[in-house]
Coordinates of all heavy atoms in Angstrom, one line a residue:
M1 N -33.8 64.1 -86.4 CA -32.5 63.6 -86.7 C -31.7 63.4 -85.4 O -31.2 64.3 -84.8 CB -31.7 64.6 -87.7 CG -32.2 64.5 -89.1 SD -32.0 62.9 -89.8 CE -30.4 63.1 -90.6
S2 N -31.6 62.2 -85.0 CA -30.8 62.0 -83.8 C -29.6 61.1 -84.2 O -29.5 60.5 -85.2 CB -31.6 61.3 -82.7 OG -32.1 60.1 -83.2
L3 N -28.7 61.0 -83.3 CA -27.5 60.2 -83.5 C -27.9 58.7 -83.6 O -28.9 58.3 -83.0 CB -26.5 60.4 -82.4 CG -25.8 61.7 -82.3 CD1 -25.2 61.9 -80.9 CD2 -24.7 61.8 -83.4
P4 N -27.2 58.0 -84.4 CA -27.4 56.5 -84.4 C -27.3 55.9 -83.0 O -26.5 56.4 -82.2 CB -26.4 55.9 -85.3 CG -25.4 57.0 -85.6 CD -26.1 58.3 -85.2
D5 N -28.1 54.9 -82.7 CA -28.2 54.3 -81.4 C -27.0 53.4 -81.1 O -27.1 52.2 -81.1 CB -29.5 53.6 -81.2 CG -29.8 53.2 -79.7 OD1 -29.1 53.9 -78.9 OD2 -30.5 52.3 -79.5
M6 N -25.8 54.1 -80.9 CA -24.6 53.4 -80.7 C -24.3 53.3 -79.2 O -23.7 52.3 -78.7 CB -23.4 54.1 -81.3 CG -23.5 54.1 -82.8 SD -22.9 52.6 -83.6 CE -21.1 52.9 -83.4
S7 N -24.9 54.2 -78.4 CA -24.5 54.3 -77.0 C -25.0 53.1 -76.2 O -24.3 52.6 -75.3 CB -25.1 55.5 -76.4 OG -26.5 55.6 -76.6
S8 N -26.1 52.5 -76.6 CA -26.7 51.3 -75.9 C -26.0 50.0 -76.3 O -26.0 49.0 -75.6 CB -28.2 51.2 -76.1 OG -28.5 50.9 -77.4
H9 N -25.3 50.1 -77.5 CA -24.7 48.9 -78.0 C -23.6 48.4 -77.1 O -22.6 49.1 -76.9 CB -24.2 49.1 -79.4 CG -23.7 47.8 -80.0 ND1 -24.5 46.9 -80.5 CD2 -22.5 47.4 -80.3 CE1 -23.8 45.9 -81.0 NE2 -22.5 46.2 -80.9
G10 N -23.7 47.2 -76.6 CA -22.6 46.6 -75.8 C -22.5 47.3 -74.4 O -21.5 47.0 -73.7
H11 N -23.4 48.1 -74.0 CA -23.3 48.8 -72.7 C -23.3 47.8 -71.5 O -22.6 48.0 -70.6 CB -24.5 49.8 -72.6 CG -24.4 50.6 -71.3 ND1 -23.5 51.6 -71.2 CD2 -25.0 50.4 -70.2 CE1 -23.6 52.1 -69.9 NE2 -24.5 51.4 -69.3
D12 N -24.2 46.8 -71.7 CA -24.3 45.9 -70.5 C -23.0 45.1 -70.3 O -22.6 45.0 -69.1 CB -25.5 44.8 -70.8 CG -26.8 45.5 -70.6 OD1 -26.9 46.6 -70.1 OD2 -27.8 44.8 -70.9
S13 N -22.4 44.6 -71.3 CA -21.2 43.9 -71.2 C -20.0 44.8 -70.6 O -19.2 44.4 -69.9 CB -20.7 43.3 -72.5 OG -20.4 44.2 -73.4
M14 N -20.1 46.0 -71.1 CA -19.1 47.0 -70.5 C -19.3 47.2 -69.0 O -18.3 47.3 -68.3 CB -19.4 48.4 -71.2 CG -18.3 49.4 -71.1 SD -16.7 48.8 -71.8 CE -15.6 50.1 -71.3
D15 N -20.5 47.2 -68.6 CA -20.8 47.4 -67.2 C -20.3 46.2 -66.4 O -19.8 46.3 -65.3 CB -22.4 47.5 -67.0 CG -22.7 48.3 -65.8 OD1 -22.1 49.4 -65.6 OD2 -23.6 47.9 -65.1
E16 N -20.4 45.0 -67.0 CA -20.0 43.8 -66.4 C -18.5 43.8 -66.3 O -17.9 43.3 -65.2 CB -20.3 42.6 -67.3 CG -21.4 41.7 -66.7 CD -21.7 40.5 -67.7 OE1 -20.8 39.7 -67.9 OE2 -22.8 40.5 -68.2
C17 N -17.8 44.4 -67.2 CA -16.3 44.5 -67.2 C -15.9 45.4 -66.0 O -15.0 45.1 -65.2 CB -15.8 45.0 -68.5 SG -15.9 43.9 -69.8
V18 N -16.6 46.5 -65.9 CA -16.3 47.5 -64.8 C -16.5 46.8 -63.5 O -15.7 46.9 -62.6 CB -17.2 48.7 -64.9 CG1 -17.0 49.6 -63.7 CG2 -16.8 49.5 -66.2
Q19 N -17.5 46.1 -63.4 CA -17.8 45.4 -62.1 C -16.8 44.3 -61.8 O -16.3 44.1 -60.7 CB -19.3 44.7 -62.2 CG -20.0 44.8 -60.9 CD -21.4 44.3 -61.1 OE1 -21.9 44.3 -62.2 NE2 -22.1 43.9 -60.0
A20 N -16.4 43.5 -62.8 CA -15.5 42.5 -62.7 C -14.1 43.0 -62.2 O -13.5 42.5 -61.3 CB -15.3 41.7 -64.0
L21 N -13.7 44.1 -63.0 CA -12.4 44.7 -62.6 C -12.3 45.3 -61.3 O -11.3 45.3 -60.6 CB -12.0 45.7 -63.7 CG -11.6 45.1 -65.1 CD1 -11.4 46.1 -66.1 CD2 -10.4 44.2 -64.9
S22 N -13.5 45.9 -60.8 CA -13.5 46.5 -59.5 C -13.4 45.5 -58.4 O -13.1 45.8 -57.3 CB -14.8 47.3 -59.4 OG -15.9 46.5 -59.2
Q23 N -13.7 44.2 -58.7 CA -13.7 43.1 -57.7 C -12.5 42.3 -57.8 O -12.3 41.3 -57.1 CB -15.0 42.4 -57.7 CG -16.1 43.2 -57.3 CD -17.4 42.3 -57.2 OE1 -17.9 41.8 -58.1 NE2 -17.8 42.1 -55.9
V24 N -11.6 42.6 -58.8 CA -10.4 41.7 -59.1 C -9.5 41.6 -57.9 O -9.1 40.5 -57.5 CB -9.6 42.2 -60.3 CG1 -8.2 41.8 -60.3 CG2 -10.2 41.8 -61.6
H25 N -9.3 42.6 -57.2 CA -8.4 42.6 -56.0 C -9.0 41.7 -54.9 O -8.3 41.0 -54.3 CB -8.1 44.0 -55.5 CG -7.2 44.8 -56.4 ND1 -7.6 45.8 -57.2 CD2 -5.9 44.7 -56.6 CE1 -6.5 46.2 -57.9 NE2 -5.5 45.6 -57.5
A26 N -10.3 41.9 -54.7 CA -10.9 41.1 -53.6 C -10.9 39.7 -54.0 O -10.7 38.8 -53.2 CB -12.4 41.6 -53.4
F27 N -11.1 39.4 -55.3 CA -11.0 38.1 -55.9 C -9.7 37.5 -55.7 O -9.6 36.3 -55.2 CB -11.4 38.1 -57.4 CG -11.4 36.8 -58.0 CD1 -12.4 35.9 -57.9 CD2 -10.3 36.4 -58.8 CE1 -12.4 34.7 -58.5 CE2 -10.3 35.1 -59.4 CZ -11.3 34.3 -59.3
L28 N -8.6 38.2 -55.9 CA -7.3 37.7 -55.8 C -6.9 37.4 -54.3 O -6.2 36.5 -54.0 CB -6.3 38.8 -56.3 CG -6.1 38.8 -57.8 CD1 -5.3 40.0 -58.2 CD2 -5.4 37.5 -58.3
H29 N -7.5 38.2 -53.4 CA -7.2 38.0 -52.0 C -8.3 37.1 -51.3 O -8.3 37.0 -50.1 CB -7.1 39.3 -51.3 CG -6.0 40.2 -51.9 ND1 -6.2 41.5 -52.2 CD2 -4.7 39.9 -52.1 CE1 -5.0 42.0 -52.6 NE2 -4.1 41.0 -52.7
H30 N -9.1 36.4 -52.1 CA -10.1 35.5 -51.6 C -11.0 36.1 -50.6 O -11.3 35.6 -49.6 CB -9.4 34.3 -51.0 CG -8.4 33.6 -52.0 ND1 -8.8 32.8 -53.0 CD2 -7.1 33.7 -52.0 CE1 -7.7 32.4 -53.7 NE2 -6.7 32.9 -53.1
E31 N -11.4 37.4 -50.9 CA -12.3 38.1 -50.0 C -13.7 38.1 -50.5 O -14.6 38.7 -49.8 CB -11.8 39.6 -49.8 CG -10.5 39.7 -49.0 CD -9.8 41.0 -49.2 OE1 -10.3 41.9 -50.0 OE2 -8.7 41.2 -48.7
L32 N -14.0 37.5 -51.6 CA -15.3 37.5 -52.2 C -16.1 36.3 -51.7 O -15.5 35.3 -51.3 CB -15.2 37.5 -53.7 CG -14.8 38.7 -54.4 CD1 -14.8 38.5 -55.9 CD2 -15.6 39.9 -54.1
L33 N -17.4 36.5 -51.7 CA -18.3 35.4 -51.4 C -18.2 34.4 -52.5 O -17.8 34.8 -53.7 CB -19.7 35.8 -51.3 CG -20.0 36.7 -50.1 CD1 -21.4 37.3 -50.2 CD2 -19.8 36.0 -48.8
E34 N -18.4 33.1 -52.3 CA -18.2 32.1 -53.3 C -19.1 32.5 -54.6 O -18.6 32.3 -55.7 CB -18.7 30.7 -52.8 CG -18.4 29.6 -53.7 CD -16.9 29.5 -54.2 OE1 -16.0 29.8 -53.4 OE2 -16.7 29.2 -55.4
A35 N -20.3 33.0 -54.4 CA -21.2 33.3 -55.5 C -20.6 34.4 -56.3 O -20.6 34.4 -57.6 CB -22.5 33.7 -55.0
D36 N -20.0 35.5 -55.6 CA -19.4 36.6 -56.4 C -18.2 36.1 -57.1 O -17.9 36.5 -58.3 CB -19.0 37.7 -55.4 CG -20.3 38.4 -54.8 OD1 -21.3 38.4 -55.6 OD2 -20.3 38.8 -53.7
A37 N -17.4 35.3 -56.5 CA -16.1 34.8 -57.1 C -16.4 34.0 -58.3 O -15.8 34.1 -59.3 CB -15.4 33.9 -56.1
T38 N -17.6 33.2 -58.3 CA -18.0 32.4 -59.5 C -18.3 33.4 -60.6 O -18.0 33.1 -61.8 CB -19.2 31.6 -59.1 OG1 -18.8 30.7 -58.0 CG2 -19.6 30.7 -60.2
V39 N -19.0 34.5 -60.3 CA -19.4 35.4 -61.3 C -18.2 36.0 -62.0 O -18.1 36.1 -63.3 CB -20.3 36.6 -60.8 CG1 -20.5 37.6 -61.8 CG2 -21.6 36.0 -60.3
I40 N -17.2 36.4 -61.2 CA -16.0 37.0 -61.7 C -15.3 35.9 -62.6 O -14.8 36.2 -63.7 CB -15.0 37.4 -60.6 CG1 -15.7 38.4 -59.7 CG2 -13.7 38.0 -61.2 CD1 -15.9 39.8 -60.3
R41 N -15.2 34.7 -62.1 CA -14.5 33.7 -62.8 C -15.1 33.4 -64.2 O -14.4 33.3 -65.2 CB -14.5 32.4 -62.0 CG -13.2 31.6 -62.1 CD -13.2 30.4 -61.2 NE -13.0 30.8 -59.8 CZ -13.7 30.3 -58.8 NH1 -14.7 29.4 -59.0 NH2 -13.5 30.6 -57.5
H42 N -16.4 33.4 -64.2 CA -17.1 33.2 -65.4 C -16.9 34.3 -66.4 O -16.7 34.1 -67.6 CB -18.7 33.1 -65.2 CG -19.1 31.7 -64.8 ND1 -19.5 30.8 -65.8 CD2 -19.2 31.0 -63.7 CE1 -19.8 29.6 -65.3 NE2 -19.7 29.8 -63.9
H43 N -16.9 35.5 -65.9 CA -16.6 36.7 -66.7 C -15.2 36.6 -67.3 O -15.1 36.9 -68.5 CB -16.9 38.0 -66.0 CG -16.8 39.2 -66.9 ND1 -17.7 39.6 -67.8 CD2 -15.7 40.0 -67.1 CE1 -17.3 40.6 -68.4 NE2 -16.1 40.9 -68.0
L44 N -14.3 36.3 -66.5 CA -12.9 36.3 -67.0 C -12.7 35.2 -68.1 O -12.0 35.5 -69.1 CB -11.9 35.9 -65.8 CG -11.8 37.0 -64.7 CD1 -10.9 36.5 -63.6 CD2 -11.2 38.3 -65.3
H45 N -13.4 34.1 -68.0 CA -13.3 33.1 -69.1 C -14.0 33.6 -70.3 O -13.6 33.2 -71.4 CB -13.9 31.8 -68.6 CG -13.0 31.0 -67.7 ND1 -11.8 30.4 -68.1 CD2 -13.0 30.8 -66.3 CE1 -11.2 29.8 -67.2 NE2 -11.8 30.0 -66.1
A46 N -15.0 34.4 -70.2 CA -15.8 34.9 -71.3 C -15.2 36.1 -72.0 O -15.5 36.4 -73.1 CB -17.2 35.1 -70.9
C47 N -14.4 36.9 -71.2 CA -14.0 38.2 -71.6 C -12.4 38.3 -71.7 O -11.8 38.2 -70.6 CB -14.5 39.3 -70.7 SG -14.1 40.9 -71.2
E48 N -11.9 38.3 -72.9 CA -10.5 38.2 -73.1 C -9.8 39.5 -72.4 O -8.7 39.4 -71.8 CB -10.1 38.2 -74.5 CG -9.0 37.4 -74.9 CD -8.8 37.2 -76.4 OE1 -9.7 36.7 -77.0 OE2 -7.8 37.7 -76.9
R49 N -10.4 40.6 -72.5 CA -9.8 41.8 -72.0 C -9.7 41.8 -70.5 O -8.7 42.2 -69.9 CB -10.6 43.1 -72.4 CG -9.7 44.2 -72.9 CD -10.5 45.5 -73.1 NE -11.8 45.3 -73.7 CZ -12.7 46.3 -73.8 NH1 -12.4 47.4 -73.2 NH2 -13.8 46.1 -74.4
C50 N -10.7 41.3 -69.9 CA -10.7 41.3 -68.4 C -9.7 40.2 -67.9 O -9.0 40.3 -66.9 CB -12.1 41.0 -67.9 SG -13.1 42.5 -67.9
M51 N -9.6 39.1 -68.7 CA -8.7 38.1 -68.3 C -7.2 38.6 -68.4 O -6.4 38.3 -67.5 CB -8.8 36.9 -69.3 CG -7.9 35.7 -69.1 SD -8.0 35.1 -67.4 CE -8.8 33.5 -67.8
E52 N -6.9 39.4 -69.4 CA -5.6 40.1 -69.5 C -5.3 40.9 -68.3 O -4.3 40.9 -67.7 CB -5.5 40.9 -70.8 CG -4.7 40.3 -71.8 CD -4.7 41.1 -73.1 OE1 -4.4 42.3 -73.0 OE2 -5.1 40.6 -74.2
N53 N -6.4 41.7 -67.9 CA -6.2 42.6 -66.8 C -6.1 41.8 -65.5 O -5.2 42.2 -64.6 CB -7.5 43.5 -66.7 CG -7.3 44.7 -67.6 OD1 -6.4 45.5 -67.5 ND2 -8.3 44.9 -68.4
F54 N -6.8 40.8 -65.4 CA -6.7 39.9 -64.2 C -5.3 39.3 -64.1 O -4.7 39.3 -63.0 CB -7.7 38.8 -64.3 CG -7.6 37.8 -63.3 CD1 -8.0 38.0 -61.9 CD2 -7.0 36.5 -63.5 CE1 -7.9 37.1 -61.0 CE2 -6.9 35.6 -62.6 CZ -7.3 35.9 -61.3
E55 N -4.7 38.9 -65.2 CA -3.4 38.3 -65.2 C -2.4 39.3 -64.8 O -1.4 39.0 -64.0 CB -3.1 37.7 -66.5 CG -3.6 36.3 -66.6 CD -3.5 35.7 -68.0 OE1 -2.9 36.4 -68.9 OE2 -4.0 34.6 -68.3
I56 N -2.5 40.5 -65.2 CA -1.6 41.6 -64.8 C -1.7 41.9 -63.3 O -0.7 42.0 -62.6 CB -1.9 42.9 -65.7 CG1 -1.4 42.7 -67.1 CG2 -1.1 44.1 -65.1 CD1 -2.0 43.7 -68.1
E57 N -3.0 42.0 -62.9 CA -3.2 42.3 -61.5 C -2.7 41.2 -60.6 O -2.1 41.4 -59.5 CB -4.7 42.5 -61.2 CG -5.3 43.7 -61.8 CD -4.8 45.0 -61.1 OE1 -4.3 44.9 -60.0 OE2 -5.1 46.0 -61.7
S58 N -2.9 39.9 -61.0 CA -2.4 38.8 -60.3 C -0.9 38.8 -60.2 O -0.3 38.4 -59.1 CB -3.0 37.6 -60.9 OG -2.0 36.6 -61.1
T59 N -0.3 39.1 -61.2 CA 1.2 39.2 -61.3 C 1.7 40.2 -60.3 O 2.7 40.0 -59.5 CB 1.8 39.4 -62.7 OG1 1.2 38.5 -63.6 CG2 3.3 39.3 -62.8
I60 N 1.1 41.4 -60.4 CA 1.5 42.6 -59.5 C 1.3 42.2 -58.0 O 2.2 42.4 -57.2 CB 0.7 43.8 -59.9 CG1 1.1 44.3 -61.3 CG2 0.9 44.9 -58.8 CD1 0.3 45.4 -61.8
S61 N 0.2 41.7 -57.7 CA -0.1 41.4 -56.3 C 0.8 40.2 -55.8 O 1.2 40.2 -54.6 CB -1.5 41.0 -56.1 OG -1.8 39.7 -56.3
E62 N 1.2 39.3 -56.7 CA 2.2 38.3 -56.3 C 3.6 38.9 -56.0 O 4.2 38.6 -55.0 CB 2.3 37.3 -57.5 CG 2.6 35.9 -57.0 CD 2.7 34.9 -58.2 OE1 1.6 34.6 -58.7 OE2 3.8 34.6 -58.6
M63 N 4.0 39.9 -56.8 CA 5.2 40.6 -56.6 C 5.2 41.4 -55.3 O 6.2 41.4 -54.6 CB 5.5 41.5 -57.8 CG 6.1 40.8 -59.0 SD 6.0 41.7 -60.5 CE 6.8 43.2 -60.2
I64 N 4.1 42.0 -55.0 CA 4.0 42.8 -53.8 C 4.1 41.9 -52.6 O 4.8 42.2 -51.6 CB 2.6 43.6 -53.8 CG1 2.7 44.7 -54.8 CG2 2.3 44.1 -52.4 CD1 1.4 45.4 -55.1
Q65 N 3.5 40.7 -52.7 CA 3.5 39.8 -51.5 C 4.9 39.3 -51.3 O 5.3 39.1 -50.2 CB 2.6 38.6 -51.8 CG 1.2 38.9 -51.3 CD 0.2 37.8 -51.7 OE1 0.6 36.7 -52.2 NE2 -1.1 38.1 -51.6
R66 N 5.7 39.2 -52.4 CA 7.1 38.7 -52.2 C 7.9 39.8 -51.6 O 8.9 39.5 -50.9 CB 7.6 38.3 -53.6 CG 7.3 36.9 -54.0 CD 8.0 36.5 -55.2 NE 7.2 35.5 -55.9 CZ 7.4 35.2 -57.2 NH1 8.4 35.7 -57.9 NH2 6.7 34.3 -57.7
C67 N 7.6 41.1 -51.9 CA 8.4 42.2 -51.3 C 8.0 42.5 -49.9 O 8.7 43.1 -49.1 CB 8.2 43.4 -52.2 SG 8.9 43.3 -53.8
Q68 N 6.8 42.1 -49.5 CA 6.3 42.3 -48.1 C 6.2 41.0 -47.4 O 5.1 40.5 -47.3 CB 5.0 43.1 -48.1 CG 5.2 44.4 -48.7 CD 3.8 45.2 -48.8 OE1 2.8 44.5 -49.0 NE2 3.8 46.5 -48.7
P69 N 7.2 40.4 -46.9 CA 7.1 39.1 -46.2 C 6.2 39.2 -45.0 O 6.2 40.2 -44.3 CB 8.5 38.8 -45.8 CG 9.3 40.0 -45.9 CD 8.6 40.9 -46.9
T70 N 5.5 38.1 -44.8 CA 4.6 38.1 -43.6 C 5.5 38.0 -42.3 O 6.7 37.7 -42.4 CB 3.6 36.9 -43.7 OG1 4.4 35.7 -43.9 CG2 2.7 37.1 -44.8
S71 N 4.9 38.1 -41.2 CA 5.6 38.2 -39.9 C 6.3 36.8 -39.6 O 7.3 36.8 -38.9 CB 4.7 38.5 -38.7 OG 3.6 37.6 -38.8
S72 N 5.8 35.8 -40.2 CA 6.4 34.4 -39.9 C 7.6 34.2 -40.9 O 8.4 33.3 -40.7 CB 5.4 33.4 -40.2 OG 5.0 33.3 -41.6
A73 N 7.8 35.0 -41.9 CA 8.8 34.8 -42.9 C 10.2 34.9 -42.4 O 11.0 34.1 -42.7 CB 8.6 35.8 -44.1
P74 N 10.5 35.9 -41.6 CA 11.9 36.1 -41.1 C 12.5 34.8 -40.4 O 13.6 34.4 -40.7 CB 11.8 37.2 -40.1 CG 10.7 38.1 -40.6 CD 9.7 37.1 -41.2
S75 N 11.7 34.2 -39.6 CA 12.2 33.0 -38.9 C 12.4 31.9 -39.8 O 13.3 31.1 -39.7 CB 11.2 32.7 -37.8 OG 10.0 32.3 -38.3
T76 N 11.5 31.8 -40.8 CA 11.6 30.8 -41.8 C 12.9 30.9 -42.6 O 13.6 30.1 -42.9 CB 10.4 30.8 -42.8 OG1 9.2 30.9 -42.0 CG2 10.3 29.5 -43.6
L77 N 13.1 32.3 -43.0 CA 14.3 32.6 -43.8 C 15.5 32.3 -43.0 O 16.5 31.7 -43.5 CB 14.2 34.1 -44.1 CG 15.2 34.5 -45.2 CD1 14.9 33.9 -46.6 CD2 15.1 36.1 -45.4
A78 N 15.6 32.7 -41.7 CA 16.7 32.5 -40.9 C 17.0 31.0 -40.8 O 18.1 30.5 -40.8 CB 16.5 33.0 -39.5
A79 N 15.9 30.2 -40.6 CA 16.1 28.8 -40.6 C 16.7 28.2 -41.9 O 17.5 27.3 -41.8 CB 14.7 28.1 -40.3
R80 N 16.3 28.8 -42.9 CA 16.7 28.3 -44.2 C 18.2 28.6 -44.5 O 19.0 27.8 -44.9 CB 15.9 28.9 -45.4 CG 15.1 28.0 -46.1 CD 14.5 28.6 -47.3 NE 13.1 28.4 -47.4 CZ 12.2 28.9 -48.2 NH1 12.7 29.8 -49.1 NH2 10.9 28.6 -48.2
I81 N 18.6 29.8 -44.0 CA 20.0 30.3 -44.1 C 20.8 29.3 -43.3 O 21.9 28.9 -43.6 CB 20.1 31.7 -43.8 CG1 19.5 32.6 -44.8 CG2 21.6 32.1 -43.6 CD1 19.2 34.0 -44.4
H82 N 20.3 29.1 -42.1 CA 21.0 28.2 -41.1 C 21.3 26.8 -41.7 O 22.3 26.3 -41.7 CB 20.2 28.1 -39.9 CG 20.9 27.4 -38.7 ND1 22.0 28.0 -38.1 CD2 20.7 26.2 -38.1 CE1 22.4 27.2 -37.2 NE2 21.6 26.1 -37.1
T83 N 20.2 26.3 -42.3 CA 20.3 25.0 -43.0 C 21.3 25.0 -44.1 O 22.1 24.1 -44.3 CB 18.9 24.5 -43.6 OG1 17.9 24.8 -42.6 CG2 18.9 23.1 -44.0
L84 N 21.3 26.1 -44.9 CA 22.2 26.2 -46.0 C 23.7 26.2 -45.5 O 24.5 25.6 -46.1 CB 22.0 27.6 -46.7 CG 21.0 27.5 -47.9 CD1 20.7 28.9 -48.4 CD2 21.6 26.7 -49.1
R85 N 23.9 26.9 -44.4 CA 25.3 27.0 -43.9 C 25.8 25.6 -43.4 O 26.9 25.2 -43.7 CB 25.3 28.0 -42.7 CG 25.4 29.4 -43.1 CD 25.6 30.3 -41.9 NE 25.6 31.7 -42.3 CZ 25.4 32.7 -41.5 NH1 25.2 32.5 -40.2 NH2 25.4 33.9 -41.9
I86 N 24.9 24.9 -42.8 CA 25.2 23.6 -42.3 C 25.5 22.7 -43.5 O 26.6 22.0 -43.5 CB 24.0 23.0 -41.5 CG1 23.9 23.8 -40.1 CG2 24.2 21.5 -41.2 CD1 22.6 23.4 -39.4
S87 N 24.7 22.7 -44.5 CA 24.9 21.8 -45.7 C 26.1 22.2 -46.5 O 26.7 21.3 -47.1 CB 23.7 21.8 -46.5 OG 23.4 23.1 -47.0
R88 N 26.5 23.5 -46.4 CA 27.7 23.9 -47.2 C 29.0 23.4 -46.5 O 30.0 23.2 -47.2 CB 27.7 25.4 -47.3 CG 27.0 25.9 -48.5 CD 27.3 27.3 -48.8 NE 26.4 27.8 -49.8 CZ 26.4 29.1 -50.2 NH1 27.2 30.0 -49.7 NH2 25.6 29.5 -51.2
R89 N 28.9 23.3 -45.2 CA 30.1 22.9 -44.4 C 30.5 21.4 -44.9 O 31.7 21.2 -44.9 CB 29.9 22.9 -43.0 CG 30.5 24.1 -42.3 CD 30.6 24.0 -40.8 NE 29.3 23.9 -40.2 CZ 29.0 23.7 -39.0 NH1 30.1 23.4 -38.2 NH2 27.9 23.6 -38.4
G90 N 29.5 20.7 -45.1 CA 29.8 19.3 -45.4 C 30.1 19.1 -46.9 O 31.0 18.9 -47.5
Ligands
ZN1 ZN1 -14.9 42.0 -69.3

């Protein structure tokens, strides 16, 4: 009398999810090889749960990028403020 064979059911797809999610950050930052990125993309389209996680991760990383401007941002921002002041005068 052993337990019903439930442990093997869906194990492979679960493993795929773990793999996909572990590479989501690299995927978002375009650090993956084209072949790996394609695998992730395919999995996200096939797996609703991973797609949800991917969308959350992508939103978070977008927010982080906005909070941490790159070194070129300050001068761009200053130029924009300068332009705004000029246009407001007129
Ligand atoms: Zn998945």
